[in-house]
Amino acid sequence: MNALQTPPKLAPGTLRIIPLGGLGDIGRNMTCFEINGKLLLVDCGVLFPEDDHPGVDLLLPGLDYLNERLDDVVGLVLTHGHEDHIGAVPYLLRRRQDIPMYGSKLTLALVDGKLREHRLRDTAMYHEVDGGTVVPLDQFTLEFFAVNHSIPDALAVAIKTSAGTVLHTGDFKLDQLPLDGRITDLRGFARLSLEGIDLLMADSTNAEVHGFTPSEREIEPALERVFAAATGKLVVACFSSHVHRVQQVMDLAVAHGRKVVYVGRSMVRNMTTAQELGFLRVPAGTLIDLNDLPNYPDDKVVVVSTGSQGEPLSALARIANREHPVIEVRRGDTVLLASSLIPGNENAVYRVINGLTRIGANVVHRGNAFVHVSGHASAGELLYTYNVVQPKNAMPIHGEARHLVANARLAQSTGIPAQRTIVAEDGDVIDLAKGRAKRVGRVDASYIFVDGSTVGDVSDSELTDRRILGEEGFISVIAAVDLRAGTIVAGPDVSARGFLEHAGVFESVTDEIRVALEQSLAEGVDDTHRLQQTVRRVIGRWVSRTYRSRPMIVPVVIAV
């Protein structure tokens, strides 16, 4: 990671571009564009934690950079509805609730569901757009283009300013036979290229993969074979927003006489939304409620579940651990993981696969069958795009370092000079002026950790402690009591490692512990073990209520 370097004051008529997430990781995608004192944001996603983020629920983009500039934000463009592009929207809107949001019908509907859960829905400002929509927005003019991806209604956006035009592809591929018939608008890209594109910011996720990404339709024979061979219960795990995959499963379920049940809150919410908007076709009588599942034979149901990335609290992980209250996988059942493997999730996914295999289930996944295709453009498609767009400058986005470098090499192979190809990191500051993009500085765009209900209160040092002490840290409480007199002699003193080690954070609960101890002593409790249990209950309830976290709690009550 490069050191911070304060960028120069932004000159009038120059477009400044700052990636706040998505460069170096698969997730937390967000970019800030600034010109003449106004800011435009594109995407606002989350990154899911890996094994070295114990106790962390989500990682947010560098929202802190915007703290002093929130009133200058004229809009937030959302390219599509995947979590790594919309998952952090509620956390941005907590900072300013009336930021106008621009996105397609499905994308905004998925955001609306998230904001409902965060109680921010009433103040949301939605502006629905589609391919071909042009929006004048203060210092920016936005033009949207349909693109094909693994979720319907995805968009690319051209950002036109007095400093030049940027084409931001979002996540895309060039599937020529997409399930919904909505292809990437290369004609629009070509028309825009005739006007001149100063900077292309293209999806890098599959830049290392040769050729073209297969069509979604090409996996249907493999999915058909899974359905035909399944003799017991069939569980299909995929992303909760992968409407295309769920449609394929729905169609096969009908063909094989199986009912479909959704499992996982996000799956239920997203598929209900997709059906209501007409993006998912569900034949009458196909969908059943989870509670009705025991009323059907195993070979007559398909469970569509979350958890394809091995998330510890997901429905599939609970099924694999035999902890799900309704669904039980038995020997001979089939589990299909119909998704890609996001880098960093390998260990978690294989833990789930191994757990299901031990039970005796037949686990089908991308490693042993052709049951998933990517939603991202491979090298051949990226080359095609560069040749159609013919940008003056290129800045790869969305991917780990190796993906960004591979994308940059593709850009250079089409004739874009190396000095006009920028491989950036989160926080790099790139200025575009007079047809030339160049790096001019660096700002802080580091991770913001979401831990339960707290945002940004977990530091890197606390994460290090958590790796040593346990997933969510360690809290100790020490008090000395006089059992004969029934009084507290010293304390209670509360300390922690790996859990919100900030001065004053325990002040309120310390008073609660003191009151609970005094009450127990007044009632005649003269057993230090019982007093320690009283302390444990008080601080446990406080942590759960305030932070939705479960650190290790060690109470020590000493009789003197």
Side-chain angles (χ1 to χ4, degrees):
M1 181 67 71
N2 296 325
L4 299 183
Q5 178 188 347
T6 303
K9 182 179 179 181
L10 184 58
T14 297
L15 177 64
R16 177 159 288 175
I17 303 157
I18 304 177
L20 299 177
L23 305 192
D25 296 302
I26 305 294
R28 72 181 204 121
N29 297 290
M30 187 175 192
T31 308
C32 176
F33 298 83
E34 178 182 359
I35 189 169
N36 298 333
K38 298 300 180 181
L39 306 182
L40 173 73
L41 307 176
V42 175
D43 288 330
C44 189
V46 296
L47 174 68
F48 293 101
E50 299 179 9
D51 290 343
D52 60 347
H53 300 129
V56 172
D57 298 316
L58 298 170
L59 290 83
L60 307 182
L63 299 179
D64 289 347
Y65 171 76
L66 302 170
N67 281 346
E68 305 302 321
R69 303 291 308 278
L70 288 170
D71 289 340
D72 297 328
V73 176
V74 297
L76 168 63
V77 172
L78 299 169
T79 60
H80 63 281
H82 280 151
E83 285 294 301
D84 58 334
H85 292 258
I86 67 170
V89 170
Y91 301 96
L92 173 64
L93 295 191
R94 285 182 187 180
R95 303 180 183 217
R96 179 187 154 196
Q97 296 187 13
D98 63 344
I99 295 176
M101 290 179 285
Y102 298 83
S104 64
K105 178 185 293 187
L106 179 60
T107 301
L108 294 181
L110 296 177
V111 170
D112 189 63
K114 300 182 72 62
L115 296 185
R116 184 186 298 117
E117 292 184 355
H118 286 257
R119 299 181 180 178
L120 292 167
R121 184 187 186 197
D122 292 342
T123 57
M125 297 179 62
Y126 298 127
H127 300 273
E128 185 180 320
V129 297
D130 201 351
T133 302
V134 177
V135 179
L137 189 61
D138 206 292
Q139 298 292 314
F140 307 89
T141 298
L142 310 178
E143 183 175 359
F144 294 89
F145 300 87
V147 294
N148 180 246
H149 187 39
S150 56
I151 185 173
D153 237 12
L155 296 168
V157 59
I159 302 165
K160 301 178 181 179
T161 71
S162 59
T165 297
V166 177
L167 176 58
H168 185 298
T169 67
D171 285 352
F172 83 112
K173 61 179 178 177
L174 302 182
D175 191 338
Q176 299 304 297
L177 296 171
L179 296 175
D180 59 2
R182 186 175 179 271
I183 62 173
T184 294
D185 187 8
L186 287 173
R187 292 178 64 187
F189 286 3
R191 174 183 52 76
L192 189 69
S193 73
L194 295 177
E195 301 174 15
I197 297 176
D198 296 278
L199 176 65
L200 175 61
M201 301 173 66
D203 176 15
S204 305
T205 310
N206 268 2
E208 290 186 307
V209 180
H210 294 293
F212 280 61
T213 301
S215 171
E216 295 280 349
R217 296 182 186 274
E218 292 187 31
I219 68 167
E220 290 182 351
L223 296 178
E224 166 65 35
R225 287 193 292 271
V226 172
F227 271 78
T231 56
K233 186 185 285 96
L234 177 55
V235 178
V236 179
C238 64
F239 293 116
S240 63
S241 53
H242 201 332
V243 179
H244 294 323
R245 190 70 73 249
V246 174
Q247 184 68 69
Q248 290 173 309
V249 171
M250 191 74 64
D251 294 343
L252 286 167
V254 172
H256 287 265
R258 289 179 180 253
K259 302 294 184 181
V260 176
V261 58
Y262 301 141
V263 181
R265 184 177 64 178
S266 59
M267 181 69 72
V268 173
R269 181 187 66 207
N270 291 346
M271 291 308 127
T272 299
T273 298
Q275 182 180 353
E276 290 174 349
L277 296 179
F279 292 99
L280 179 67
R281 302 179 306 279
V282 181
T286 302
L287 200 60
I288 62 173
D289 188 83
L290 177 61
N291 294 324
D292 293 331
L293 186 64
N295 299 329
Y296 292 86
D298 284 352
D299 62 353
K300 295 299 180 183
V301 295
V302 179
V303 176
V304 180
S305 168
T306 57
S308 63
Q309 297 304 304
E311 302 94 319
L313 300 180
S314 66
L316 187 64
R318 295 170 68 193
I319 293 169
N321 294 330
R322 301 177 182 262
E323 295 174 350
H324 197 279
V326 178
I327 300 170
E328 180 182 1
V329 167
R330 304 181 182 91
R331 180 172 297 278
D333 288 343
T334 300
V335 179
L336 168 61
L337 274 67
S339 64
S340 60
L341 184 58
I342 294 177
N345 294 343
E346 293 90 348
N347 291 340
V349 171
Y350 288 126
R351 274 197 296 269
V352 170
I353 291 175
N354 287 330
L356 293 166
T357 302
R358 289 190 192 99
I359 294 171
N362 174 33
V363 185
V364 183
H365 54 90
R366 192 178 183 182
N368 59 23
F370 184 44
V371 291
H372 178 73
V373 295
S374 174
H376 302 271
S378 296
E381 293 153 277
L382 289 171
L383 288 172
Y384 197 94
T385 302
Y386 280 116
N387 285 327
V388 168
V389 172
Q390 297 183 343
K392 296 176 184 175
N393 303 268
M395 177 178 158
I397 55 172
H398 303 171
E400 297 181 345
R402 58 195 174 94
H403 305 129
L404 302 176
V405 169
N407 195 350
R409 288 172 179 159
L410 294 173
Q412 292 166 19
S413 71
T414 64
I416 300 174
Q419 63 270 25
R420 291 178 177 264
T421 307
I422 300 174
V423 178
E425 296 181 347
D426 294 337
D428 281 352
V429 180
I430 293 90
D431 282 358
L432 175 66
K434 299 179 181 179
R436 178 72 182 270
K438 60 180 180 178
R439 188 185 287 102
V440 297
R442 181 170 177 77
V443 300
D444 184 13
S446 54
Y447 291 159
I448 297 174
F449 300 106
V450 177
D451 179 3
S453 62
T454 67
V455 179
D457 289 338
V458 179
S459 66
D460 288 331
S461 63
E462 287 174 280
L463 281 181
T464 300
D465 289 338
R466 287 183 179 188
R467 294 176 194 126
I468 299 170
L469 299 169
E471 283 205 354
E472 301 191 51
F474 173 101
I475 298 176
S476 66
V477 184
I478 300 176
V481 299
D482 185 335
L483 294 177
R484 291 184 180 180
T487 60
I488 299 173
V489 178
D493 295 322
V494 184
S495 60
R497 291 294 299 275
F499 177 85
L500 302 177
E501 301 169 30
H502 306 311
V505 72
F506 296 113
E507 287 181 0
S508 62
V509 75
T510 300
D511 292 337
E512 291 184 41
I513 295 169
R514 182 180 295 108
V515 169
L517 281 174
E518 289 174 345
Q519 182 176 345
S520 294
L521 290 167
E523 292 172 354
V525 176
D526 59 0
D527 180 347
T528 56
H529 176 72
R530 290 175 60 191
L531 293 173
Q532 287 172 173
Q533 292 302 98
T534 296
V535 173
R536 186 191 303 277
R537 283 195 298 272
V538 171
I539 199 163
R541 283 197 301 266
W542 174 81
V543 169
S544 177
R545 178 179 69 243
T546 310
Y547 297 103
R548 298 179 187 173
S549 185
R550 294 182 297 176
M552 181 187 298
I553 298 172
V554 179
V556 179
V557 177
I558 303 169
V560 297

